Amino acid sequence: MDFINEKDIFDLIDNEKLNNISLQKEIIQKSKEAKGLSLKESAALLNINDKETLNELFHTAKEVKEKIYGNRLVLFAPLYLTNLCVNNCLYCAFRKDNKELKRKTLSLEEIKEETEFLVGQGHKRLLLVCGEHPKKASMEFIGESIKTIYEVKIKNGNIRRLNVNTAPLSIENFKILKSFGIGTYQCFQETYHYETYLKMHPEGPKRDYSWRLFAMDRALQAGIDDVGIGALFGLTDWKFETLALLSHAFNLDQRFGIGPHTISVPRLEPAFNAPVSQKPPFAVDDLSFKKIVAVLRLAVPYTGIILSTRERAELRRELFHVGVSQISAGSRTSPGAYKESKESVEEYQMEQFQLGDHRSLDEVVRDCCELGFMPSFCTACYRSNRTGDRFMELAKSGNIGKICVPNAISTFNEYILDFASDETKIVAEDFTKKELEKLDGPTKVKTEKMLQKINQGKRDIFF
């Protein structure tokens, strides 16, 4: 665990020399090259308090994100298969000692029904989520679930990319997981602070800090190209958590030449019968949260920064402007909740945590357009071998956007034709025309040809 050096990280946080406004401005200027930052430089930016410098930080984060990914926002939804768990995480409603939680594991037929609902909304990309349970979330069950999800095809729609968030696995089991045709493998350390980690995970296999920390190493060794890391902000000092998260990202990049495909930034939210969640030990205010997102974007410009529906709509809109590139929409965090399609007391007694943004996918899509962001349902890279080091080469060089933007327009046009409400169609069609005009000659011609095919009834057109 030498790459998470707690003393060095706290020394950086306490280093008064890094509170220099001139130094901070120099680092922001350097970050515009979109080549990343060191841990020390990142620490200096986390300490910004001057309002003018802070605005410069936020503006630059948006600039760097758009330099690499354009103005697109990739959309997805989580699909919970089971809320049974053998761990006892103090911040999570799924913890095994929560005797009042209504437990449920979906059958394959229920998984099909949930997927049909999500496909019917227009989703193309899902995140499969399971509680940690050796029987209810076995590799066999996960494999059957993935097969069931991929087989669903309705209303010109289907799931083309399935990312997976499960417990850490052995190399052999990661190889099995890869054989199911997954996209990114996600696993969050929750907190990188060792003592806090042990305190928050008093029982269960999750108590093994090291086994979880090196999950990504094993996944990459098993041949899974893309991995996603994250921390649950609110369990310990947010500056420590951010720098530790970056240390993890840098270590993966140095060892494998493949940094994290995504970094998630969930904040601790209230959860049913989870005492720590009701009163976070180190609650993160909104301004500090914006700093976290902006600094992550500048420090690891190539990564996808994921924002969930934990956050309320107003704050999500602000965070779109400081570096976020992937968002969930129309989410539910309990097994079977999509089919019900309405919130209830029973759902509250089954969900992992409370949500802040309860809008539908269609409402989020329309809002994105009105804010100037391109909703993207693209999954092309994962079926064109643009993963792992190949994706990293394109992202780090700033060339991925040349592929992503046209594919985003193509998949968004599918959504407009097949799933958008009449109100959203009006806004989206006008927005797409303006985005098309921004493209240069050859790219514009190629994109227009893709759109012609889609308008003729063809689907899943990409390059």
Side-chain angles (χ1 to χ4, degrees):
M1 301 186 295
D2 57 340
F3 64 89
I4 304 294
N5 190 313
E6 294 187 5
K7 181 181 182 303
D8 287 353
I9 291 173
F10 280 119
D11 283 348
L12 285 174
I13 293 171
D14 295 335
N15 188 343
E16 290 294 330
K17 294 180 180 179
L18 300 182
N19 293 342
N20 183 287
I21 292 176
S22 297
L23 172 64
Q24 290 164 344
K25 286 181 176 289
E26 286 177 15
I27 295 169
I28 292 172
Q29 192 63 34
K30 174 190 172 182
S31 73
K32 292 182 179 182
E33 299 174 6
K35 300 298 181 184
L37 299 174
S38 69
L39 207 62
K40 185 176 182 179
E41 290 168 333
S42 301
L45 297 189
L46 289 176
N47 283 332
I48 293 175
N49 291 311
D50 174 66
K51 186 174 181 180
E52 179 188 338
T53 310
L54 200 56
N55 287 335
E56 188 178 346
L57 171 73
F58 295 151
H59 177 79
T60 304
K62 183 175 187 288
E63 181 183 309
V64 168
K65 182 264 178 178
E66 295 191 350
K67 183 175 183 179
I68 294 178
Y69 288 113
N71 65 341
R72 72 188 185 99
L73 286 171
V74 173
L75 292 151
F76 73 95
L79 176 55
Y80 281 71
L81 301 186
T82 179
N83 62 5
L84 276 80
C85 192
V86 295
N87 293 309
N88 208 18
C89 310
L90 300 185
Y91 48 81
C92 181
F94 291 178
R95 63 191 183 90
K96 72 179 185 67
D97 279 0
N98 187 357
K99 305 303 181 184
E100 295 179 64
L101 185 79
K102 293 188 176 182
R103 305 286 178 174
K104 183 177 179 63
T105 299
L106 298 183
S107 66
L108 293 180
E109 181 60 30
E110 288 172 321
I111 291 169
K112 179 184 176 184
E113 291 172 349
E114 289 285 273
T115 306
E116 287 174 343
F117 176 88
L118 289 163
V119 171
Q121 298 298 298
H123 280 292
K124 300 288 187 289
R125 177 190 301 232
L126 299 183
L127 172 64
L128 185 151
V129 187
C130 299
E132 188 168 347
H133 196 285
K135 293 182 179 179
K136 298 298 183 179
S138 66
M139 291 304 296
E140 181 181 6
F141 174 65
I142 290 172
E144 291 174 345
S145 301
I146 290 172
K147 183 175 182 292
T148 299
I149 292 166
Y150 277 140
E151 287 176 348
V152 171
K153 291 178 175 60
I154 60 167
K155 197 181 177 182
N156 284 335
N158 65 299
I159 298 304
R160 301 170 185 168
R161 163 81 167 183
L162 186 60
N163 300 329
V164 176
N165 186 323
T166 67
L169 304 171
S170 65
I171 291 177
E172 288 307 310
N173 277 336
F174 272 127
K175 288 179 180 178
I176 295 172
L177 184 63
K178 176 181 169 61
S179 73
F180 298 150
I182 72 162
T184 300
Y185 169 73
Q186 281 189 5
C187 185
F188 305 157
Q189 190 65 20
E190 315 295 12
T191 175
Y192 286 88
H193 188 253
Y194 186 69
E195 286 187 11
T196 302
Y197 185 94
L198 294 182
K199 181 180 178 181
M200 294 297 159
H201 306 101
E203 296 178 81
K206 194 170 178 177
R207 185 170 169 80
D208 191 334
Y209 178 100
S210 182
W211 179 252
R212 195 169 189 87
L213 185 64
F214 285 95
M216 298 308 163
D217 299 64
R218 297 191 300 276
L220 290 166
Q221 289 166 4
I224 293 177
D225 284 347
D226 296 330
V227 296
I229 62 176
L232 180 56
F233 287 90
L235 297 178
T236 193
D237 180 275
W238 62 270
K239 291 182 181 179
F240 173 88
E241 215 74 272
T242 305
L243 295 178
L245 193 56
L246 287 174
S247 297
H248 195 178
F250 296 161
N251 182 261
L252 290 173
D253 199 15
Q254 291 164 4
R255 292 190 61 207
F256 299 96
I258 302 173
H261 189 77
T262 57
I263 294 178
S264 296
V265 289
R267 277 196 299 186
L268 192 56
E269 295 294 335
F272 180 51
N273 278 351
V276 170
S277 74
Q278 304 298 331
K279 194 173 181 180
F282 291 83
V284 182
D285 63 85
D286 290 352
L287 182 59
S288 297
F289 195 43
K290 285 180 70 175
K291 276 191 199 180
I292 291 168
V293 174
V295 172
L296 288 175
R297 172 53 63 203
L298 299 181
V300 277
Y302 59 82
T303 198
I305 297 180
I306 298 178
L307 182 67
S308 76
T309 49
R310 287 173 180 261
E311 305 302 333
R312 64 193 189 282
E314 296 78 12
L315 180 60
R316 277 170 41 110
R317 293 186 185 105
E318 290 185 43
L319 294 169
F320 294 169
H321 291 276
V322 295
V324 165
S325 57
Q326 296 190 24
I327 59 171
S328 55
S331 304
R332 292 287 190 272
T333 67
S334 60
Y338 288 114
K339 184 186 174 186
E340 298 299 326
S341 70
K342 62 181 180 180
E343 295 170 49
S344 64
V345 174
E346 183 173 330
E347 181 182 346
Y348 170 69
Q349 294 174 336
M350 295 175 66
E351 65 185 4
Q352 187 178 27
F353 52 84
Q354 291 181 29
L355 300 176
D357 188 348
H358 299 271
R359 295 173 299 165
S360 68
L361 173 61
D362 190 74
E363 291 172 305
V364 173
V365 164
R366 185 166 64 250
D367 192 39
C368 288
C369 291
E370 291 172 342
L371 291 168
F373 295 98
M374 167 63 72
S376 174
F377 297 86
C378 177
T379 58
C381 283
Y382 317 109
R383 288 166 300 143
S384 302
N385 292 320
R386 291 191 294 267
T387 57
D389 55 0
R390 297 170 294 284
F391 176 86
M392 287 291 154
E393 183 180 351
L394 288 166
K396 290 178 180 179
S397 65
N399 289 315
I400 193 67
K402 296 174 183 177
I403 300 169
C404 290
V405 173
N407 285 337
I409 293 175
S410 173
T411 55
F412 187 38
N413 199 50
E414 283 189 44
Y415 177 84
I416 295 169
L417 291 171
D418 296 337
F419 303 102
S421 66
D422 291 341
E423 185 180 358
T424 296
K425 278 183 181 179
I426 295 170
V427 175
E429 287 173 351
D430 181 61
F431 177 78
T432 305
K433 286 178 185 176
K434 292 177 181 177
E435 290 300 301
L436 195 58
E437 290 303 314
K438 294 179 183 179
L439 300 179
D440 59 24
T443 304
K444 183 178 179 182
V445 170
K446 196 165 186 177
T447 305
E448 287 175 333
K449 289 181 179 178
M450 292 165 66
L451 294 179
Q452 286 175 4
K453 291 179 181 178
I454 290 168
N455 290 329
Q456 291 167 1
K458 295 183 180 179
R459 293 293 178 266
D460 202 14
I461 307 298
F462 59 87
F463 71 92

